[in-house]
Amino acid sequence: QGFKDNLHAVFCLAENAVGPRATRPDDIHVLYSGKTVEINNTDAEGRLILADGVAYACKDLGADIILDMATLTGAQGIATGKYHAAVLTNNEEWEKACVKAGRNCGDLVHPLVYCPELHFSEFTSAVADMKNSVADRDNTPSSCAGLFIASHIGFDWPGVWVHIDIAAPVHAGERATGYGVALLLSLFGGASEDPLLNLVSPLGCNGDPPTEDMERDSKRRRLV
């Protein structure tokens, strides 16, 4: 679509079959970020490779905006329902942009609570930097799962981090919905050469200042 900036897609994939190298309860892993993780829930495995993915995007790719998207928690469907994905981010403007992009394209999004100073203690471990699953499943587990991923970039990281949990809206019965494709195109379309994506995107372009003829459209594209 003629994207004007450096854009990378990092696919965090792993085989989930049982084998001699399978993760076991009480294992301690050293993740790519250098942080250690005690395994207290082998079903919370996706966040381990997502944490490596965002750390790779930060350390190796030098990204200043990192968006991770995954079918991370069953609790997302309880928190925001079947039709709205959940968004967690360290930037209020990007939270608003995700919501607006979802409304523009039909891939709906609703914010989760972002409060690492209160919630990250759910991962406290006596033998590692953190555990991989929460101590209390009644304490906003979808937010906490996102915070686990963010911790491998660092909560003091100066860039923009966006986490989108799409567990419920990606399927309807036994079929996939394709959720997420339109959301990403809408969210980042303002930095493409596609006029339709420019129109629906809540994000402005990083190019030259708009001309007088383009001023009204550029106001429409800026973050709201």
Side-chain angles (χ1 to χ4, degrees):
Q1 303 297 327
F3 198 78
K4 297 180 178 68
D5 295 317
N6 291 327
L7 175 66
H8 302 273
V10 178
F11 293 86
C12 303
L13 307 173
E15 175 59 68
N16 205 21
V18 175
R21 299 182 65 188
T23 296
R24 297 174 173 84
D26 298 331
D27 281 354
I28 296 178
H29 293 306
V30 180
L31 270 62
Y32 190 59
S33 65
K35 298 180 185 296
T36 54
V37 177
E38 177 189 357
I39 304 301
N40 65 327
N41 183 348
T42 54
D43 192 41
E45 82 289 358
R47 65 194 61 182
L48 301 176
I49 54 171
L50 284 167
D52 278 356
V54 298
Y56 174 79
C58 180
K59 292 166 61 175
D60 292 68
L61 301 179
D64 53 6
I65 300 168
I66 297 176
L67 184 149
D68 71 81
M69 178 182 287
T71 56
L72 195 62
T73 65
Q76 175 273 309
I78 298 171
T80 60
K82 295 180 180 179
Y83 307 112
H84 292 75
V87 60
L88 191 74
T89 174
N90 64 355
N91 186 293
E92 185 176 3
E93 289 189 334
W94 276 75
E95 179 183 278
K96 293 176 182 177
C98 288
V99 172
K100 188 170 183 180
R103 289 174 180 168
N104 288 346
C105 71
D107 282 354
L108 300 173
V109 179
H110 192 77
L112 290 175
V113 174
Y114 178 78
C115 195
E117 63 271 25
L118 293 180
H119 293 150
F120 192 66
S121 58
E122 290 289 343
F123 295 105
T124 299
S125 168
V127 293
D129 291 320
M130 67 196 76
K131 294 182 179 179
N132 76 316
S133 190
V134 293
D136 183 357
R137 290 181 178 237
D138 292 330
N139 190 15
T140 188
S142 293
S143 290
C144 290
L147 295 180
F148 177 91
I149 298 168
S151 70
H152 293 272
I153 307 173
F155 294 121
D156 57 349
W157 183 59
V160 174
W161 168 74
V162 180
H163 164 72
I164 301 180
D165 193 332
I166 60 175
V170 294
H171 66 88
E174 297 180 351
R175 296 289 179 264
T177 63
Y179 182 98
V181 177
L183 178 64
L184 291 177
L185 285 171
S186 176
L187 184 60
F188 294 105
S192 79
E193 296 176 353
D194 189 300
L196 178 59
L197 295 181
N198 282 189
L199 184 66
V200 299
S201 177
L203 292 165
C205 300
N206 293 324
D208 296 331
T211 64
E212 185 175 346
D213 293 337
M214 297 172 61
E215 187 174 352
R216 181 166 55 184
D217 283 344
S218 68
K219 287 179 180 177
R220 188 180 296 172
R221 290 197 300 266
R222 281 202 299 266
L223 275 174
V224 176

